[in-house]
Amino acid sequence: MRTVAGLRRRGTAGVAVLVMLTAAACGTGGGPSGSRATAPSGTASPSGTGTTSLTWEFEHIADFSGDLTDIAVLAADDVWAVADEHDSSAGARLLHYDGARWTREPLPEALGATDYPPLLDQVGADALWLRPHTSGGGPDGGHWAKWDGARWSAVAHPGPTGVRDIKSAGPDDVWALGDERTAQHWDGTRWTATRLPFPAADLAVVGLDDVWAVGRRTTGPGTVLNGTETYSQPASAHWDGTSWKAVDTPQAHFPEPVPAEPGAGLNRVLALDGGEVRAYGINGFNHGEAEDEPQDQYLRLRWDGSKWAEQEAAPGQCAERIPVGQEHGGLFLEGNWYLTDGGRCVKIGRHRLPASTDARKGSNQSLWLTGIHRVPGTDEWLGAGHVQVNQPGDPFDAPVVVRLKRGS
């Protein structure tokens, strides 16, 4: 699937989507349904008309303390989520929505033992993979499970090298990033390992035999500072169906005086609709070594069909945020912001938890979304994560599914 809808990050390198819900800014939760927060000033119409706002509204609030760590939306009446229940021996939960209600489903027998909530990947219109996440065996465990629309069964996995993330163009065209120098490909029958020309941080699948990898390189032009020190540089490569080929990528350097231990690299690559490819990264350094230090430089590139070029700068709070979803009219960005195709930066509104959840009137609430997905065939969007409730004596996390509301 080429669209960035449904992108989510894992592990310490991940960036969650956060909305702060403070009592002062958002009113109170005085009734069973909770009070509705006023959209913050600056919330504007994605279409640029100023008459429509975007708001995350609660679709489902789970009855336990924890987090929804993954979500996959196959249809309006076929939604799957993985949950992590806190303070319970139950641990990981697999949840399913059938259009009428949410129910707990047993973890597939084909899935290997998992110490943490399994990782859920949508690899086709009606195909899901579940991967165990274990403390001893890394994020892959010993067994993977697949859902074909009717049942769970075993699916082969790439082996003991470890898989950090999965991108796909369909159930028979799946790419997995293993260690930094290995990309694995599933053709529906077997896995094939390919060697990357540099340490990679991310992959993007544009289509069949059209895949990008980005990361950093420590050899070649621009990688030596003062004759001895290594200054890593952004790197990219393209898979054309036969091999990975390194692609010239703009270098990034600080002006003199260069700060301590500088290094640049790309850590995210996205395939947008229409085949557009964007890459994101940073030119940073070891902070705290000097009194007068520069700011990190954020790298934003787009592929114009023949070379990498700098992206046009986005305005305001959208300038340094990475897309997490795309639709006709604009991009959803990290931190619950929206960038319209016309270049407007829009903050997505939000509500507080209802009082029935035991969230108090004066509590501070933060909405963390681990992923958002479009409901197929519609302009509806669902997100999943948790609301972190900070209050004296009884803080908790409420797992939630939210739905995007568009309205005046």
Side-chain angles (χ1 to χ4, degrees), residues 65-85:
S65 178
D67 182 19
L68 296 185
T69 58
D70 259 332
I71 185 172
V73 183
L74 301 181
D77 58 356
D78 192 6
V79 184
W80 294 83
V82 173
D84 180 16
E85 183 175 358

Side-chain angles (χ1 to χ4, degrees), residues 28-73:
T28 62
S33 61
S35 64
R36 298 297 177 91
T38 301
S41 61
T43 298
S45 165
S47 63
T49 65
T51 60
T52 301
S53 62
L54 298 177
T55 307
W56 287 120
E57 295 200 329
F58 294 120
E59 178 79 2
H60 174 67
I61 304 173
D63 59 358
F64 56 88
S65 178
D67 182 19
L68 296 185
T69 58
D70 259 332
I71 185 172
V73 183

